[in-house]
């Protein structure tokens, strides 16, 4: 995604409770840390290691992130944050954790949450595979969302795709029974191989179809990529899976 279109973030926002940058060798840190410190003061946004949140119980993690325990959903690769911003508003009784690898996008998503004052959402700037492995407790999520994940077109890079067996297994283990995994993409080949990967590497029920919703305004799209794809009149492939008992 091009960075030019990212909105300017206001320094007056109180961001520290919405934005949690975690140190990762792949995450984009560096220049943005200085910018963030300038805007919000270094104290509130200093990057931490994954172990600052690792191995906590669901209750302890929920209290730490949100100050309350509530049904929790995870979004992997939030991009500019349209989904998590709308979801936190629509479902104030739920907690939402967004994970976005690109620091500047995570910051943009967090600033949306701060602007609309929805403290039931937080953004980790981090690698979702590590957040799943180290931070998200087993049997803790009522929903997991993967929308328009990077397709990594080159064959040699396919193993970097987020819909891959180890990540799917971690998601299944972290969903509660009846919890849903949502997977949408505009790449037909990724959709077919992704659905196959989910079926082969988990015991999740599905895929179940999701009908397209009529869109009248910008907020009727689930994510920025869904909006872009549909305005280009290209197809969107949607599915969800459900965790079974046992
Ligand atoms: C194509 S964009 C889609 C963004 C958004 N979901 C949408 O539909 O508009 C994919 C996003 O996933 C992020 N991403 C890629 N790998 C990731 C990972 N391992 N953990 C977290 N985010 C990741 C990228 O930085 C990028 O912002």
């Amino acid at each position: 995604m091009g960075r030019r279109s990212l909105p300017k973030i206001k320094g007056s926002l109180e961001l520290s409770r919405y934005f949690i940058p975690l140190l990762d060798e792949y995450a984009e840190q560096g220049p943005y840390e200085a910018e963030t410190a300038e805007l919000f003061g270094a104290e509130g946004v200093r990057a931490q290691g994954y172990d600052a949140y690792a191995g906590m119980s669901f209750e302890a993690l929920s209290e730490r992130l949100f100050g309350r325990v509530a049904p929790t959903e995870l979004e992997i690769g939030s991009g500019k944050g349209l989904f998590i911003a709308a979801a936190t508003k629509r479902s104030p009784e739920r907690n939402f954790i967004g994970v976005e690898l690109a620091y500047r996008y995570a910051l943009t998503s967090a600033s949306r949450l701060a602007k609309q004052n929805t403290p039931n959402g937080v953004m980790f700037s981090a690698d979702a595979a590590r957040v799943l492995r180290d931070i998200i407790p087993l049997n803790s999520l009522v929903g997991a969302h993967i929308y328009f994940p990077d397709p990594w077109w080159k064959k040699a890079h396919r193993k970097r795709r987020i819909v891959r067996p180890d990540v799917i297994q971690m998601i299944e283990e972290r969903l509660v029974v009846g919890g849903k995994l949502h997977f949408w993409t505009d790449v037909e080949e990724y959709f077919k191989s992704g659905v196959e990967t989910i079926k082969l590497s988990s015991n999740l029920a599905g895929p179940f179809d999701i009908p397209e919703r009529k869109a009248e305004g910008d907020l009727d799209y689930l994510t920025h990529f869904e909006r872009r794809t549909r305005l280009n009149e290209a197809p969107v492939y949607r599915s969800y899976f459900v965790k079974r008992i046992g």
Side-chain angles (χ1 to χ4, degrees):
M1 265 196 284
R3 290 233 163 73
R4 254 171 295 158
S5 53
L6 287 176
K8 240 191 146 26
I9 293 165
K10 284 205 194 102
S12 54
L13 284 175
E14 173 43 46
L15 207 77
S16 55
R17 70 152 326 294
Y18 294 98
F19 183 54
I20 306 175
L22 298 180
L23 287 175
D24 186 284
E25 60 267 39
Y26 302 113
E28 295 178 34
Q29 306 281 342
Y32 299 121
E33 281 212 327
E35 178 196 341
T36 318
E38 207 174 281
L39 283 170
F40 306 108
E43 281 314 308
V45 293
R46 188 170 290 150
Q48 304 167 65
Y50 285 78
D51 45 355
Y53 294 87
M56 299 174 81
S57 68
F58 172 62
E59 288 73 19
L61 181 67
S62 303
E63 287 291 353
R64 172 100 173 266
L65 295 177
F66 303 102
R68 67 169 192 180
V69 179
T72 300
E73 306 197 29
L74 175 77
E75 185 190 21
I76 292 176
S78 302
K80 294 182 182 176
L82 201 59
F83 168 76
I84 193 164
T88 49
K89 259 187 168 172
R90 193 173 49 240
S91 305
E93 74 291 354
R94 293 194 169 193
N95 291 337
F96 292 86
I97 299 171
V99 189
E100 171 50 59
L101 192 58
Y103 189 88
R104 192 64 173 73
Y105 283 114
L107 184 57
T108 300
S109 298
S111 78
R112 270 185 196 269
L113 298 173
K115 245 186 250 166
Q116 64 181 27
N117 193 20
T118 46
N120 56 326
V122 297
M123 284 302 309
F124 280 119
S125 171
D127 174 11
R130 283 204 60 184
V131 169
L132 278 164
R133 191 190 71 195
D134 295 346
I135 298 179
I136 306 294
L138 301 179
N139 303 310
S140 66
L141 299 173
V142 295
H145 304 263
I146 305 178
Y147 298 124
F148 303 85
D150 289 334
W152 294 106
W153 295 106
K154 286 190 188 157
K155 238 191 171 139
H157 293 164
R158 292 273 163 88
K159 55 181 181 298
R160 297 184 192 170
R161 285 182 168 180
I162 203 72
V163 179
R164 57 175 196 258
D166 62 312
V167 171
I168 296 304
Q169 280 156 17
M170 288 194 285
I171 290 173
E172 183 179 22
E173 288 164 358
R174 282 150 186 81
L175 284 171
V176 299
V177 170
K180 290 184 184 162
L181 165 63
H182 304 260
F183 168 44
W184 297 19
T185 174
D186 55 336
V187 180
E188 187 177 15
E189 179 279 320
Y190 194 177
F191 185 71
K192 285 185 177 154
S193 64
V195 163
E196 210 47 34
T197 300
I198 296 170
K199 283 184 359 192
L200 290 175
S201 56
S202 78
N203 189 32
L204 295 169
F208 300 105
D209 281 344
I210 303 169
E212 187 158 295
R213 266 197 333 171
K214 197 163 177 284
E216 273 149 18
D218 276 4
L219 295 178
D220 296 331
Y221 299 102
L222 201 66
T223 73
H224 174 76
F225 260 67
E226 190 198 12
R227 177 173 173 273
R228 206 178 76 168
T229 307
R230 285 180 59 186
L231 292 182
N232 285 335
E233 296 181 4
V236 172
Y237 305 93
R238 305 172 176 83
S239 67
Y240 75 92
F241 293 80
V242 181
K243 178 156 168 177
R244 302 177 212 253
I245 299 174

